[in-house]
Amino acid sequence: MIAISPPCIAQQRQRRSRRALSICIYFSIIAFIYHIMMMLYLARDLPDPISNLSPQLPTKKKQQRQQQSSLLSYEHHSISRKLTDQQIIEHRPSTATSLHTHTSVITDGETIGAILQGDINFREYLANSSTITPPTTPTKATTPRLRFMPGQITNTNLTKANILHYCYSNPDIYARHFPESYRQVSTISDKYKLVYLHLPKAGSSTSRYLLEHSLDGHNAPLNPAGNDLNTRYVNYTVFTFVREPLQRFYSQYDEVFLRYAPWVKRKRYFKHPYPFIYTNITTLAEYRNIYCPLELIPSYIREEKMNNTRAFILWRTKQQTKENGTLALRFEQFVEKYNSLSPWDIHLHLQVPHISNKYTGRPRRVDEIYSTDANKTIINWEKMVKKYGRSLPESNESFNARSAPRRYKTSLVSNETKQKICRISAIDYCCLNIALPTECSDIGIHCSLGVNKLGEFQIQPWQHPHEID
């Protein structure tokens, strides 16, 4: 047996320690170099800090939206007209043209209808017409598109529902106008295979009541993507009621004015974004006395109705407003300050985004669209229930209970205010093919028809609210 002296053991331990230290230093150097290389690699993809001054979507969010769009394709392709990849390649403008083009000529509605029907090729029409001209100032990259006036598509083969099918509500712009719960409220009749999509302030209370009491309907939300319209309710008729956007906005304001008034209890954390509309109005009695002053009510009516307080209140509510302009002025101030892309209540939603898919920006499936204008709600419902051998309820008090004349005089509203409302509501005018009111007919509100990367048609406003000076 060989004995090892203590000095030898100490030397071996020192060698092992030095070797371990060398290995440690070696790997530390390798890790440091790797770390530096990764930092240089990542720095190459970092955005320019100056470019961050303009709002942009994070790359990850864009990728998620693209994935969602690919998974949730537009719902009813049976009437969509797609261009083939070959057509897009053949008619794709040159780089210089595609980056700096805009439409300067207004296309007539008959041509737009023919393009949607497939009778005219969109790309060929652009190539053979003089509607595309280079701008004097370079602009950001845009997709070639045609400009046309709202309500001018006269093709008899295209209903409002057909035109709505091609609409596009950009989720980045109209995000706050999709239903907050991401579930579209609807009333469904399984017996008669009907699905009614609710649109606030477009006869929704009346329509819901009539479907429940005349056609055995029940309330039920649709799923977030709306896919159940093509699965569970594929054989059902999907319909909705729409309203002229300017008149609807008057009603929208009236609704939110009352819902968020100082005398209505709200959650503590709620802070009204436009409190000035309630200046010097703190009680409901003060509000009523503005649009229906007691001193202007004949004494015999006052004495008769005062015996029944509730009856008197309902009577006052149904009278035409007698306000002197103070309420109309508040309305005008509201419109001037209103951020139309950030509504705080569902009753302020625009119609088309409200019935659209929040992922794709495309409308849910709608087979029939009815109008509430000129008191057509009941007339249209009479025709509808007659088709199924049913009739409307004998008493109409319950479904007209929420109907009331405007509390402020719309005749006192300035044309400038009306024109801003038309600009705010441009997507509804364009996608529902509704002609502009006289006050807004010559202020430059136009619609655009273009195609997306998949070759699908897209109808949207020529200028969105945030793009207007």
Side-chain angles (χ1 to χ4, degrees):
M1 182 174 181
I2 302 175
I4 301 177
S5 63
C8 292
I9 294 175
Q11 287 179 357
Q12 289 179 359
R13 288 178 178 173
Q14 288 178 356
R15 291 194 192 100
R16 290 175 184 170
S17 177
R18 288 172 187 161
R19 189 180 299 115
L21 180 61
S22 299
I23 293 173
C24 182
I25 293 173
Y26 174 80
F27 282 106
S28 297
I29 293 173
I30 295 298
F32 178 77
I33 295 173
Y34 177 81
H35 182 68
I36 294 297
M37 292 177 65
M38 286 300 297
M39 288 183 64
L40 293 173
Y41 177 81
L42 293 175
R44 184 182 60 181
D45 294 329
L46 289 177
D48 182 2
I50 295 177
S51 67
N52 281 340
L53 295 177
S54 60
Q56 294 180 345
L57 282 174
T59 304
K60 186 176 181 180
K61 191 172 182 180
K62 284 184 178 178
Q63 292 174 347
Q64 290 175 345
R65 182 164 287 117
Q66 290 172 356
Q67 292 172 355
Q68 290 168 341
S69 298
S70 63
L71 292 174
L72 300 168
S73 59
Y74 189 31
E75 296 168 348
H76 49 305
H77 294 279
S78 58
I79 63 171
S80 71
R81 303 283 182 175
K82 292 187 179 181
L83 300 177
T84 65
D85 293 338
Q86 188 60 34
Q87 285 176 318
I88 294 175
I89 293 171
E90 290 173 355
H91 299 289
R92 181 178 290 135
S94 64
T95 304
T97 305
S98 64
L99 290 177
H100 310 298
T101 60
H102 75 293
T103 305
S104 60
V105 178
I106 297 176
T107 307
D108 64 274
E110 185 176 351
T111 300
I112 297 295
I115 291 173
L116 294 178
Q117 284 287 96
D119 300 329
I120 297 177
N121 183 281
F122 176 76
R123 295 285 184 179
E124 290 179 356
Y125 180 80
L126 288 178
N128 298 328
S129 67
S130 59
T131 57
I132 300 295
T133 57
T136 55
T137 305
T139 60
K140 64 182 180 180
T142 57
T143 302
R145 52 187 181 151
L146 297 174
R147 185 198 302 245
F148 64 98
M149 292 291 294
Q152 300 303 304
I153 302 177
T154 56
N155 193 311
T156 55
N157 294 323
L158 289 172
T159 64
K160 283 189 184 298
N162 296 145
I163 296 170
L164 174 66
H165 166 84
Y166 300 107
C167 186
Y168 175 64
S169 302
N170 191 322
D172 296 333
I173 298 175
Y174 298 101
R176 299 286 294 276
H177 285 270
F178 299 105
E180 293 181 5
S181 64
Y182 309 123
R183 288 179 177 272
Q184 174 65 53
V185 179
S186 61
T187 304
I188 299 170
S189 171
D190 294 306
K191 181 176 181 180
Y192 295 99
K193 296 189 179 304
L194 294 170
V195 176
Y196 164 59
L197 300 182
H198 295 195
L199 269 175
K201 309 315 298 177
S204 58
S205 297
T206 298
S207 297
R208 179 174 58 216
Y209 176 88
L210 293 177
L211 186 55
E212 289 177 356
H213 291 79
S214 297
L215 297 173
D216 303 331
H218 63 277
N219 293 330
L222 300 177
N223 70 25
N227 294 333
D228 43 0
L229 290 179
N230 295 330
T231 54
R232 181 178 178 183
Y233 303 115
V234 65
N235 295 321
Y236 286 49
T237 299
V238 182
F239 71 97
T240 192
F241 278 77
V242 300
R243 189 172 181 179
E244 198 282 325
L246 177 60
Q247 296 300 320
R248 179 173 178 264
F249 194 92
Y250 291 150
S251 185
Q252 289 174 283
Y253 172 82
D254 242 4
E255 182 77 25
V256 297
F257 186 99
L258 284 173
R259 281 178 174 267
Y260 297 90
W263 54 86
V264 178
K265 291 184 178 181
R266 309 298 305 178
K267 294 179 179 179
R268 291 183 180 180
Y269 58 79
F270 175 77
K271 185 178 181 181
H272 200 291
Y274 307 96
F276 57 83
I277 62 178
Y278 301 110
T279 302
N280 299 326
I281 302 177
T282 57
T283 66
L284 182 57
E286 290 175 347
Y287 178 53
R288 289 194 183 114
N289 203 39
I290 292 176
Y291 68 80
C292 189
L294 287 172
E295 59 269 20
L296 296 183
I297 301 175
S299 57
Y300 70 92
I301 293 179
R302 207 163 53 233
E303 292 173 0
E304 178 183 346
K305 300 290 184 182
M306 286 290 265
N307 295 326
N308 187 333
T309 305
R310 178 170 177 77
F312 184 55
I313 291 174
L314 289 175
W315 181 86
R316 289 182 74 182
T317 302
K318 294 181 180 180
Q319 303 309 302
Q320 293 295 329
T321 182
K322 298 178 177 62
E323 66 110 351
N324 60 8
T326 179
L327 295 180
L329 179 60
R330 293 163 197 261
F331 171 74
E332 290 203 314
Q333 292 173 338
F334 168 77
V335 175
E336 181 184 358
K337 302 290 185 182
Y338 177 51
N339 180 359
S340 61
L341 295 180
S342 297
W344 78 93
D345 184 88
I346 192 174
H347 294 89
L348 289 169
H349 285 190
L350 293 167
Q351 296 176 90
V352 172
H354 186 78
I355 56 173
S356 296
N357 185 313
K358 82 181 188 78
Y359 302 113
T360 65
R362 293 291 196 169
R364 297 174 185 271
R365 194 188 103 221
V366 180
D367 303 310
E368 297 175 0
I369 294 179
Y370 299 93
S371 174
T372 66
D373 300 327
N375 299 319
K376 290 181 180 178
T377 307
I378 303 302
I379 296 174
N380 286 324
W381 267 103
E382 287 176 342
K383 294 178 181 178
M384 188 184 303
V385 298
K386 189 175 181 180
K387 289 193 302 184
Y388 299 99
R390 300 291 294 268
S391 59
L392 297 180
E394 294 182 4
S395 173
N396 62 2
E397 283 298 320
S398 53
F399 57 80
N400 278 332
R402 297 183 63 183
S403 299
R406 197 71 52 237
R407 276 93 168 182
Y408 58 96
K409 288 183 180 178
T410 56
S411 60
L412 299 177
V413 177
S414 67
N415 282 347
E416 290 77 10
T417 299
K418 294 177 182 177
Q419 289 165 2
K420 180 176 180 181
I421 295 171
C422 289
R423 292 189 180 98
I424 289 171
S425 308
I427 192 167
D428 287 345
Y429 281 111
C430 291
C431 291
L432 299 174
N433 198 34
I434 299 175
L436 293 166
T438 304
E439 300 90 336
C440 304
S441 59
D442 59 353
I443 62 172
I445 298 176
H446 298 112
C447 313
S448 78
L449 174 66
V451 295
N452 61 15
K453 293 179 180 180
L454 299 176
E456 298 170 329
F457 288 124
Q458 288 185 337
I459 293 177
Q460 55 186 315
W462 185 262
Q463 285 184 305
H464 297 286
H466 71 290
E467 298 173 325
I468 299 171
D469 297 331

